[in-house]
Amino acid sequence: MNNGRNGTGANGLTASSCNVAPVPQAEIAAICDRFGNDKHRMLDILYDVQDRYRSIAPATMDAIASQTDLTRIEVEGVASFYSFFSLTPKGRVTIRLCDDIVDRFCGLEDVVAAFEEVLGIKVGDTSADGAVSLETTPCIGMCDQAPAAMVNNVMLTSLTPETARAAAEALMAGQSPESLVSDRFHELSPHERAVRMVENNVRHAGAVLLGPVPEEAGLNNAVGMRPSQIINAVEESGLRGCGGAGFTTGRKWRFAASEKLDRHFVICNADEGEPGTFKDRVLLTERPHLLIEGMTIAARAVGAREGILYLRGEYVYLRELLETVLEERRRRGLLGKEILGVKGFEFDIRLQLGAGAYICGEEGALISSCEGLPGEPKTRPPFPVSRGYLGYPTVVNNVETFCHAARILGQGAKWFHAMGTEGSHGTKLFSVCGDCLNPGIYELPYGHTVWELLEMVGGADAAAVQVGGPSGTMIGRDSFHRKLTFDDLATGGAIIIFNGQRNILEIVEYYMSFFVHESCGYCTPCRVGNVFLQKAIQKFQKGLANPEDIDYLKDLSGTIIETSRCGLGMTSPNPILSTLKNFPLVYAAVSKPSKDGIRDTFDIQSAIDGARKIAKRRSYIFDKDFTQ
Ligand SMILES: Cc1cc2nc3c(=O)[nH]c(=O)nc-3n(C[C@H](O)[C@H](O)[C@H](O)COP(=O)(O)O)c2cc1C
Ligand code: SF4
């Protein structure tokens, strides 16, 4: 639809100004038309436009706006939110080097130097001939094979300066990114392509997910059960969400099922953005049928006919594999109308590719992103189970949670409940990386101690372990007896190991820079406060801090936790708080007593005091053991 907000010339081209290339309206219209001119498919539209024109230029946004009945500002709001979209022209090949701390410790600097030397450009630049752009990006989910990079849709892993140089030379010689993987790339199956690019590193297969899995056992049982019986089984199993928060899955499904609206949705959260986490990548590659089976069972339980698989943009190399699996299941009557021949059992899934934004893992932001909006969290309540995607009841679960649910329906709730510990039932996938001999995936029942895991992975000389990624907890050797359970050390899966040579302040500073980069910017304490925290850590790194700065770190952290709208801000100070608690000497060793003991730093507590009083929110008191 053209709402007449943009002028179109007789030749079907528009020019937003006389010296800008005209925009081919017909081509933009065709792209939008492929997605039904639906504003909720804005990410897909922007991806296609960017693929075609190498950027999302202002005049292009006008054209998209007129096709989707939005304003240009709304389109620009989406295009500028996601880091994988660019408003200025990118190279025909974009190399995104993973800049995670694990990559840095594994030799990223030399890999960057090799790329820069051969390509003749610096990180952040595009070559003058428009052939190639070189950039860095936060964790791309390859920490077990760092350093890693995305080259358009192709993944390169375990890079060395030599392999980086060879890849850059091949690209300079005009070879395609796919040819870096194999000269037979196009003959390989989608699964073969995925595993050629990325090792799965399954080091320990447990009884539930990575051991033998009978085909469709869960779905075959579920079709003979009433929705309430399915929900009872999931509840009795004790399954809790594997995305980090650990909410009881059966209860979530029950809430959604109890909502009497005519549409319900099931969304799989495959955003997996927490640095150090890569377990969902392995499930998506090795157990895609089990995942879709779990989503289909959830759909039957809550009465959903529509589902979305939200795949992080960094995992675009898995898109074809997943689309193939969806197509195969449609053919086999496992998706679509009358699933397994059952009248009225209808469910299908569309894949939504994300576009490089960690915040989109937060379920409200994930829903916003699925709706074609900037990935901003939503105000809660209402919760997604009542009013989620497009305002309808929506179940959002992690990839691993859906896979577990399918196995529970296949093998029985008691079987699952018997594994693990009280309150943490079943198995858990741990993504282990960093300073150990055998990084990779370990499927273990809940309840192992950190020591036991470290022995398994060849990391017994660890000095520190980051449990749960940057938003989790960093512990030292005196806490390695603690258990990996929801009640002790909860984790969405990330276990990052650091040996005694690593600089804790460097790690903390990196994690704070990550949160600064990934804050959606909606709340001032998160947007501004994390910048101040990062700066304060830099002060410690430079040896310019006073003991009073430790109080400043605690006060400011407390304020950010207290006043942030979503889980990102509520956990972003954790790298600081957990290291202050578990590694106090690291801070004490580099702080010098000030002459007068007066802080010269900005006091955000006082600055927001007025607002807090108006909002009737109490002040956060830093007295709890937040790692418990
Ligand atoms: C900043 C932030 C990022 C998150 N990222 C993810 C993610 O990548 N994957 C995920 O499953 N859950 C993530 N979560 C948790 C989700 O909000 C939500 O709790 C989860 O998808 C629910 O699924 P589950 O009950 O199966 O765990 C994130 C939460 C926050 C606050
Ligand atoms: S806490 Fe941070 S990420 Fe969350 S809504 Fe506020 S600004 Fe955005």
Side-chain angles (χ1 to χ4, degrees):
M1 176 177 47
N2 189 321
N3 60 14
R5 278 180 284 202
N6 304 285
T8 307
N11 59 358
L13 304 178
T14 56
S16 59
S17 74
C18 40
N19 57 355
V20 173
V23 175
Q25 288 285 331
E27 277 188 20
I28 301 281
I31 290 173
C32 294
D33 196 49
R34 274 209 295 281
F35 300 101
N37 295 315
D38 182 356
K39 62 183 179 183
H40 302 118
R41 304 297 299 276
M42 187 53 67
L43 270 68
D44 302 305
I45 292 171
L46 294 177
Y47 261 122
D48 278 12
V49 167
Q50 179 162 282
D51 281 353
R52 174 70 184 79
Y53 304 108
R54 291 170 41 219
S55 74
I56 302 161
T60 330
M61 288 190 259
D62 287 332
I64 297 169
S66 73
Q67 290 301 129
T68 52
D69 207 16
L70 291 173
T71 63
R72 145 77 189 281
I73 298 295
E74 286 169 315
V75 174
E76 186 167 355
V78 183
S80 59
F81 183 86
Y82 295 92
S83 66
F84 281 9
F85 295 139
S86 177
L87 309 193
T88 53
K90 280 278 171 72
R92 287 182 287 284
V93 173
T94 298
I95 301 169
R96 294 191 174 101
L97 289 155
C98 178
D99 183 30
D100 186 67
I101 193 76
V102 174
D103 295 67
R104 291 185 187 188
F105 289 159
C106 290
L108 174 66
E109 201 179 331
D110 293 340
V111 168
V112 170
F115 272 112
E116 286 183 338
E117 189 194 318
V118 178
L119 300 175
I121 53 172
K122 295 280 174 203
V123 167
D125 292 344
T126 297
S127 60
D129 61 356
V132 59
S133 297
L134 185 64
E135 5 183 286
T136 55
T137 190
C139 183
I140 59 174
M142 304 289 148
C143 291
D144 53 336
Q145 43 212 296
M150 293 176 72
V151 182
N152 287 357
N153 295 348
V154 163
M155 228 14 125
L156 300 182
T157 54
S158 302
L159 285 163
T160 62
E162 292 70 35
T163 57
R165 189 166 286 113
E169 281 166 359
L171 293 170
M172 290 293 276
Q175 288 187 32
S176 69
E178 289 75 16
S179 71
L180 301 177
V181 180
S182 158
D183 50 10
R184 293 180 40 247
F185 190 86
H186 296 287
E187 295 161 31
L188 301 174
S189 71
H191 185 263
E192 283 169 337
R193 285 179 205 162
V195 295
R196 280 279 181 110
M197 291 185 242
V198 179
E199 286 278 335
N200 280 327
N201 284 330
V202 175
R203 307 282 186 179
H204 189 275
V208 183
L209 299 175
L210 295 171
V213 172
E215 225 179 290
E216 309 305 327
L219 188 57
N220 281 327
N221 285 342
V223 290
M225 294 163 76
R226 287 192 305 277
S228 61
Q229 291 174 314
I230 298 174
I231 294 173
N232 287 344
V234 174
E235 221 163 11
E236 281 161 24
S237 74
L239 175 63
R240 292 171 67 170
C242 303
F247 193 81
T248 312
T249 307
R251 272 183 75 200
K252 185 182 277 189
W253 292 14
R254 193 178 296 286
F255 285 139
S258 71
E259 293 286 341
K260 302 290 172 231
L261 272 80
D262 56 353
R263 285 171 87 183
H264 291 66
F265 288 88
V266 169
I267 299 184
C268 173
N269 188 342
D271 197 54
E272 190 154 71
E274 189 76 31
T277 315
F278 48 87
K279 66 182 181 72
D280 295 342
R281 177 198 93 203
V282 173
L283 286 174
L284 290 162
T285 317
E286 295 305 325
R287 293 287 178 266
H289 281 280
L290 190 67
L291 164 64
I292 309 299
E293 186 186 345
M295 288 180 73
T296 312
I297 291 167
R300 181 156 177 81
V302 306
R305 289 191 303 275
E306 296 153 274
I308 299 173
L309 170 50
Y310 188 92
L311 182 70
R312 69 181 307 210
E314 290 81 349
Y315 290 172
V316 61
Y317 78 101
L318 293 174
R319 178 166 58 180
E320 204 189 347
L321 166 62
L322 294 167
E323 293 283 17
T324 309
V325 166
L326 292 173
E327 205 40 61
E328 184 191 328
R329 293 183 73 84
R330 285 180 198 116
R331 266 201 321 274
R332 289 169 54 198
L334 300 169
L335 279 178
K337 292 194 164 56
E338 300 197 0
I339 292 173
L340 287 173
V342 177
K343 253 197 159 41
F345 183 13
E346 177 184 341
F347 180 62
D348 211 331
I349 296 172
R350 81 169 166 90
L351 190 149
Q352 177 65 64
L353 192 65
Y358 164 71
I359 187 59
C360 288
E362 193 279 336
E363 60 185 356
L366 181 101
I367 290 170
S368 299
S369 191
C370 289
E371 291 169 339
L373 297 168
E376 279 165 6
K378 293 180 187 276
T379 304
R380 299 148 68 105
F383 291 92
V385 283
S386 311
R387 299 288 178 270
Y389 181 66
L390 304 179
Y392 291 100
T394 303
V395 161
V396 178
N397 277 125
N398 174 257
V399 173
E400 187 181 354
T401 314
F402 281 122
C403 290
H404 277 308
R407 293 289 282 137
I408 288 163
L409 267 294
Q411 297 290 119
K414 285 202 176 95
W415 167 79
F416 189 85
H417 192 271
M419 288 177 257
T421 64
E422 198 45 51
S424 304
H425 299 278
T427 62
K428 176 84 194 102
L429 295 192
F430 295 100
S431 337
V432 181
C433 64
D435 297 315
C436 63
L437 294 176
N438 300 307
I441 295 292
Y442 294 76
E443 183 188 359
L444 301 170
Y446 280 108
H448 279 281
T449 64
V450 175
W451 268 129
E452 285 164 350
L453 183 59
L454 287 172
E455 269 159 22
M456 249 178 260
V457 309
D461 64 347
V465 177
Q466 184 74 32
V467 181
S471 67
T473 306
M474 189 187 281
I475 57 168
R477 290 178 77 84
D478 55 350
S479 297
F480 288 177
H481 61 279
R482 290 177 62 182
K483 290 193 169 152
L484 295 160
T485 64
F486 285 107
D487 300 329
D488 193 352
L489 286 170
T491 167
I495 302 284
I496 311 167
I497 301 171
F498 298 112
N499 66 32
Q501 310 302 308
R502 306 303 182 195
N503 180 334
I504 300 264
L505 286 177
E506 184 185 347
I507 299 165
V508 173
E509 198 275 339
Y510 170 74
Y511 286 156
M512 293 320 299
S513 74
F514 170 77
F515 287 124
V516 167
H517 187 260
E518 297 301 326
S519 165
C520 82
Y522 183 92
C523 336
T524 310
C526 172
R527 186 182 67 244
V528 180
N530 284 315
V531 174
F532 284 129
L533 284 181
Q534 187 192 357
K535 288 197 164 136
I537 293 296
Q538 288 165 352
K539 208 170 152 188
F540 280 91
Q541 286 181 291
K542 289 178 193 151
L544 300 175
N546 310 317
E548 293 78 27
D549 288 313
I550 291 177
D551 296 332
Y552 170 75
L553 286 175
K554 289 177 182 174
D555 287 352
L556 180 51
S557 295
T559 302
I560 296 170
I561 291 171
E562 179 199 349
T563 52
S564 285
R565 184 189 194 205
C566 87
L568 188 150
M570 290 172 197
T571 55
S572 58
N574 283 358
I576 294 178
L577 294 179
S578 65
T579 49
L580 276 173
K581 179 174 184 292
N582 298 324
F583 301 88
L585 291 180
V586 165
Y587 291 85
V590 292
S591 9
K592 287 184 277 223
S594 60
K595 281 189 224 111
D596 51 9
I598 295 172
R599 278 195 228 167
D600 59 355
T601 34
F602 174 67
D603 183 358
I604 199 171
Q605 280 279 2
S606 315
I608 67 160
D609 227 29
R612 184 169 40 229
K613 277 182 194 139
I614 293 166
K616 297 197 174 76
R617 293 182 79 158
R618 68 180 179 80
S619 171
Y620 175 91
I621 300 167
F622 183 76
D623 62 356
K624 59 178 181 157
D625 180 356
F626 83 100
T627 63
Q628 295 301 312

